[in-house]
Each structure stands twice: as C-alpha cells, then as structure tokens.
Amino acid sequence: MKQPRAWQRMLSGRRLDLLDPTPMDIEIEDIAHGLAFVARWNGQTVGDFAYSVAEHSLLVEQIFAAMNPNAPVRWQLAALLHDAPEYVIGDMISPVKAAVGPGYETLDERLMAAIHIRFGLPAQVPADVKKKIKKADKISAWLEAVQIAGFTKAEADKLFGKIDSNIAQTAEIQLRAPLAVRQDFTRRHAELMDLL
C-alpha cells in the first residue's frame, strides 16, 4: 500500500518532510510567511485582519525581553521562534490539541528541534528558559483574549493567570496586514541572528 505524502513544498522551493524534518530544509522566509498567514484563536477575533501567529510571536519576544533584560540573545531568539512549527502544522487551540492527543506534540517537538538547530539553538531549550517563555506566552494570550477575542478579564485571569496591571494597560495588540507582519518577523529574526 502506498504511503501517504508527508512532505510539504515551501515557497522557497524546499521540501520539508513533516515526519523527519531536517534543519537544511528550513528557511526563515518560509516560517515568517507561514506564521503571518496562520490566524490565532481560529480567526475568532475582531478587526479587519486576523491576529497572526507571527504577530503573537513578535509580542511574546518583546514581553520575554522586557521581563528578562539580561537574558542572552539566543533565548530571545527562542522566544521569537516559540511557535515556529505552526508555519506548517497550523495553530490549534488548546481544546483541539487535547482532542488530537500526543501525536500533535510529537510532531511539534520534531519540527521545533530542527528549527532550533537550523538557527544555532540547542534542540531542546533549558526548562527554566522554556518556563520564562511560557510566562510571556501566557501574558500575550491574556492580552489577546481580552483585547481582540471577546473574553472578559475574569475569564482571561482564570485561563491564563492574572497579569501585571501595567502590562495590561500599556501593551496593545496590533492587527496588521500579513505581509507587513511577515516583514517585521523576518527583520527581527535577522537582528537577533546578527547579535548571536
């Protein structure tokens, strides 16, 4: 019986094997393009544009850097790339991930390891760094939930934890055209790579 196709052709011309990804088949332009067109919250947000995973990633990296001003640049890069596998597997909301089961997590981990190696990061980010990135991710999720996804502050507090009131008042979610977000994501990646 013929095996189903498990690779995807990227706009760069690369052919990424989803079951056995290699760092050589990963390009930042493909990641930035894919993430700029993947909607968070399954697209259930207000505004003229979907809130993309690329925009979310930029915000998480900013929050992480603000909360960890002495963190090495490589961990800022890890924060920027924290959802990078979603450029090919999409952004599944937590209830869908739970329904899909451990297969999704395995695929995500394989892709993340290849992405990290491609850009000079360790395949696995240290647990303490991962925890700090997750904290920034939850703050971003809280802001998104309240500002553009229709959640009350009480609902967001329950799901994502309470956040610092200064962050809640000063951080504003941006909704922009995908190509502008793609450009900013690629630019930020290049800035961080130049600092490594």
Side-chain angles (χ1 to χ4, degrees):
M1 190 163 111
K2 187 178 176 184
Q3 292 292 323
R5 179 172 67 93
W7 56 267
Q8 179 177 344
R9 173 80 57 199
M10 299 294 153
L11 288 178
S12 65
R14 299 283 189 189
R15 192 166 103 167
L16 181 66
D17 184 336
L18 300 178
L19 300 179
D20 188 23
T22 66
M24 290 179 51
D25 292 323
I26 293 166
E27 298 293 341
I28 195 59
E29 292 80 7
D30 294 331
I31 292 172
H33 184 81
L35 294 182
F37 284 90
V38 173
R40 290 206 17 109
W41 304 96
N42 281 349
Q44 298 300 307
T45 55
V46 298
D48 293 335
F49 297 104
Y51 187 70
S52 72
V53 175
E55 194 78 75
H56 162 79
S57 298
L58 287 163
L59 181 58
V60 168
E61 190 265 327
Q62 289 172 359
I63 294 168
F64 174 83
M67 291 172 52
N68 304 280
N70 297 320
V73 171
R74 68 179 177 267
W75 302 143
Q76 289 177 251
L77 180 60
L80 180 69
L81 296 172
H82 80 283
D83 279 339
E86 294 178 9
Y87 86 108
V88 288
I89 60 177
D91 179 40
M92 287 192 206
I93 59 174
S94 296
V96 175
K97 287 179 186 176
V100 170
Y104 176 88
E105 189 174 329
T106 301
L107 181 59
D108 184 79
E109 287 172 358
R110 274 193 212 132
L111 283 164
M112 185 61 87
I115 291 164
H116 279 179
I117 292 167
R118 170 67 175 87
F119 299 114
L121 297 171
Q124 296 287 328
V125 173
D128 64 318
V129 174
K130 195 171 185 176
K131 186 176 178 180
K132 291 174 183 175
I133 293 171
K134 188 65 180 172
K135 184 173 182 178
D137 189 34
K138 285 191 169 200
I139 291 169
S140 179
W142 189 99
L143 293 166
E144 295 163 26
V146 171
Q147 292 183 26
I148 60 171
F151 286 65
T152 66
K153 289 180 181 180
E155 288 174 318
D157 287 349
K158 186 175 180 182
L159 290 169
F160 308 110
K162 290 185 179 193
I163 68 168
D164 182 286
S165 61
N166 289 330
I167 294 173
Q169 292 172 359
T170 58
E172 189 173 336
I173 300 298
Q174 297 181 51
L175 297 170
R176 302 184 293 154
L179 297 181
V181 180
R182 178 184 72 187
Q183 182 178 9
D184 282 354
F185 186 94
T186 305
R187 178 193 48 76
R188 184 60 182 150
H189 178 268
E191 289 171 355
L192 293 170
M193 291 296 290
D194 286 346
L195 294 171
L196 281 179

